[in-house]
Amino acid sequence: MIKNICINGMGRIGRALFRLCCSRNSISCVHINEPFATTEEITYFLKYDSLYGKFNGDIHVVNEHSIEIVTNNQQFLTTVSHYDNVSELLAGVQRADYYIDASGNTSYYNIYKQHGVKCVFTCCLNNESNEIIDTVNDSELYSTSGVFSASICDAVAIAPVLKAIYSCTEVNSTIITTMHPALGYQKVIDNYPGRGINKSLGRQYIDSIIPKRTSVEEVLKKFFPNQTIRCMSFRIPTESVCVADIAIHSNATIDMQKIVEELRKNNGLEFSTEDLVSIDFKGNQASACVDMRWTEVVDDHILKLIIWYDNEFGYSAHLLNLVEKWGNINEM
């Protein structure tokens, strides 16, 4: 059965979700809401994307409240609204089975809960709600009836890898360094970054590698509370695709073959042995791709891995996988 979804927030992730929905037969985006853009502006940025190219098909404005999409020999309408109040959105949209909140506004959590709808957030929530990552703790979907978080792109890529490794070797500590492309709030020229943001992120991103703390450490500790995990990040002057450098220290002798076998059991992971660079993973929908060229055991007790992941399309594909699984459970 097709899952009808509404996307609230048509920024980078919202638009990636929409494009991926148009390529899946099991999910239909029946409504989008964006208070900060007109329908014409939304349509333009859905059709043209500087990173991922032109939309695969035709998309045009019908009127201020609907757009028409023709792709993969299918034609359908998606309705559009511009509510800045989520309660009004929920009252005005009646045909969505699931909501995906890509607005980044965590204060909407209680509103979705009060209305009793099924909603997935594309960011961490500041409460005790479920945070679910596919293939890591997706069994929690069976007990989830309302609202949950699909975590963040770095955790979605790293957590499945750590789960596989932790299951087959005794780990003492894990050190992770992520290298993340620039995000929208960074600066083209030096300028004040805004309150509560690391001052160095106010430096222009084009020529600098910027070290920063990363929230993925606290997120990973939620999933692996008994593990010692330390993380840091560099913002790098690229436009898409992340890479994570992972070093795992074990008191026991590490069995490389056993670890690779365990990693390959996860169908959300891919593997590469070719001489690839970051741009080669742009548009990749896997949670992560393990680069086998740099995966090795050092002195029997240190496991070194490099993984690549598209922080937009890989994360968005993971989120839609969760919605599909959730929908299948609800239909049982």
Side-chain angles (χ1 to χ4, degrees), residues 229-246:
I229 301 173
R230 294 290 181 269
C231 305
M232 73 162 294
S233 181
F234 291 101
R235 284 287 166 80
I236 55 178
T238 57
E239 297 174 321
S240 68
V241 180
C242 296
V243 62
D245 181 343
I246 304 172

Side-chain angles (χ1 to χ4, degrees), residues 280-301:
D280 297 319
F281 299 95
K282 186 170 72 172
N284 190 297
Q285 295 183 33
S287 295
C289 182
V290 182
D291 194 329
M292 298 303 293
R293 295 174 300 164
W294 312 110
T295 297
E296 60 178 336
V297 174
V298 180
D299 291 337
D300 293 332
H301 298 284

